[in-house]
Amino acid sequence: MASSSETNRSAVLAIVLGVVATALSIVAIVRPGADDPREAQSVAEEELGAIKDPASSTGSDEQMQASDESSQSSEGESTEQKLAAPTIRLIAEPIPAQKDELEAEATFVAEQLLTLLPNEPMAKHVNAMLFAQLHQTEKAEKLWRECVNDAGDVEFFYVNLAAIEMDRGDHDAAIKTLETAVSRGLKSTDISHHLGMALTNGGRADDAIPVLETALKVQPNAASLTLILGQAQLKMGKTEEAEANLRKAVSLGAKTKSGYFALFNACMRNGKREDAKKFQAAYSRFTEKDLDPQERYQILSESEARQIAISVMSEAAVMYEAAGGLWDAEQLWLRVLALDPKALNALEELARIYAGQERFENERVVRARAVEIDATNLLGYLKLAKSEISCENPEAAESAIKLAISLAPQMVTGYAAMTDFLLEQNQPEKAVWYVQHAVKLKPSKQGFLLLARTLRAAGNESEAQVAEAQAAKL
C-alpha cells in the first residue's frame, strides 16, 4: 500500500519542495550548455541556499547595535551563546520497545491527529494506515472510502482502498475503485500495477494484458508492471511471452516469491526443465527459517510494530507541520529517530524545520548525524556546510565542503560551492584555485563567468577579461 510521506507529499502538502529545488540547482550547475548569465553571479548559491556568513550582512552599526541590544534584553543571552548550545541530542542505537507499547503509542498518535483535524482526509489516511497494518481492514476500508469521497484527486487513496479490497478477496470492488481513479484522470505505475493485478487475480487476465502493455509503453522498464504482465500472459496460456516477461521482470529487480514461482511454471510448460529447477530453488529460498512458531511470531511482530509506529508518526508529523504545529512535528520526528536512529527522511525533515525556525544549532546537530549515516552523500555535506555558516562556524563549513570535494572529485558542484563560500569569506585568492579546477573539469559559460568574477575580486582584471572572453565563445 502506498504511503503519502514518500510518494505524494509534494502533491498534497508540498513539504519537500525546498530539497527538490536544491537537487535541481546542482543538476543545473553540472549540466553542460546552460547559458543563463545570471548563474555567474553565484553558481553555488542555489544549491547552498546562498551560503553566507551572518557577520557579513549589510546594515548600519547603529541598526546592528540596536538589534543586538534588543535580542540580549529579550532573551537574556547573546546570539553567539545561543548558537553554541543545541537543545537536542540524538542516540546512535534504537531504544528497546515492546510490541504492545508501540501499538498503543501509534494508536494514540493517530487518534489525537484525527481529533485535531476530524475533517481532513490526510488525518483519516493516517488512521487508515494504522488500521490496515494492524489487520483491522474493515476500519481501514471505511476510512479510505471516506478519503476517496472527500478528496477524489489523491491517487494513493484509491490504491490503498483497492489493496484492502483485494486483501479480502473482493477483486471486483478493487477493479471498480481503480477504474474510477482512471476515469478521473489519475494515471500512474501504481494504479496500472494494482489494476492489472486485480484483473488478473479476478479472472480477467485478458483485460489486464492491454492495461499493462499500455502502461509499459510509458515506463518500459517498470519491473512491477512487467511481472504482472507475465503472470497475466501465463494465465492466458501465452507461455513463451510470459516466460520472456517474467525473466525481464526478475532482471529488472522483481526477485519475488511469486515471480520465481511463475517462472518455474512457465519454464515447465515450455519444456525447459533445467531452468525450471533453478527457479524452483530460488522460490524455495523464500520459505521462513526453521524457528519455533512462537519465537518467529515474537520476532516478526516486534519488528512490525516498530515500523507501524514509525510510519504513523512520520505521517502525523507531516500533518502537524502543515497545520502549524511545529512543536508536535519536532517531537514526533525526534521519537522516530529514537526508534530508528538511521531514518534519513526524519533527519532531513527535522533539519528543514530547524532551518525554517532559524534554530541553526539544532540543524547542525541533525545535519552532522545525517552525514555520519550517509557518508557518501555529497549534498549532505553541502547542507552541513550551510548550517555551520549559519552557526558562525566558517572553519567547520570549509572542512565539510573539502570533504564533499574529496568524495566526488570529478564533479564541479563541490568546487563551485567552495568558490562561492570563499568569496563570501573575502578570500578570493583561495577561491581562484577551486573555480579554475571546476572549469578544467567541465568548461561552461557559467563556469567561466564565475572564474571572471573570482579573478576580478582577487585583483586580476586582465585574466578576468580573458575568462569573460572564453564565456562569450561558449
Side-chain angles (χ1 to χ4, degrees), residues 383-413:
K383 290 178 178 179
L384 174 60
K386 179 185 175 184
S387 67
E388 294 287 7
I389 284 295
S390 298
C391 290
E392 302 180 30
N393 201 353
E395 293 83 3
E398 184 173 348
S399 70
I401 301 174
K402 284 181 177 178
L403 182 51
I405 292 172
S406 71
L407 292 174
Q410 296 302 307
M411 290 184 63
V412 302
T413 310

Side-chain angles (χ1 to χ4, degrees), residues 136-152:
Q136 299 178 28
T137 54
E138 289 185 5
K139 294 180 179 179
E141 182 177 346
K142 177 179 179 295
L143 285 171
W144 268 319
R145 198 169 298 283
E146 290 179 14
C147 290
V148 166
N149 293 333
D150 294 343

Side-chain angles (χ1 to χ4, degrees), residues 338-361:
L339 295 173
D340 181 7
K342 295 183 179 181
L344 288 169
N345 68 310
L347 289 168
E348 179 59 43
E349 295 291 348
L350 199 54
R352 187 179 48 74
I353 289 174
Y354 288 141
Q357 295 177 319
E358 297 188 356
R359 298 163 70 188
F360 300 120
E361 67 284 4

Side-chain angles (χ1 to χ4, degrees), residues 295-352:
E295 181 185 359
R296 183 187 304 123
Y297 172 78
Q298 188 69 15
I299 291 173
L300 293 176
S301 63
E302 287 182 4
S303 173
E304 288 170 350
R306 186 177 294 266
Q307 291 307 312
I308 288 170
I310 290 171
S311 174
V312 169
M313 291 172 192
S314 299
E315 297 276 1
V318 172
M319 289 295 299
Y320 276 115
E321 183 181 357
L326 293 178
W327 295 110
D328 295 282
E330 176 191 15
Q331 189 56 45
L332 284 168
W333 286 125
L334 288 171
R335 178 57 175 163
V336 168
L337 289 168
L339 295 173
D340 181 7
K342 295 183 179 181
L344 288 169
N345 68 310
L347 289 168
E348 179 59 43
E349 295 291 348
L350 199 54
R352 187 179 48 74

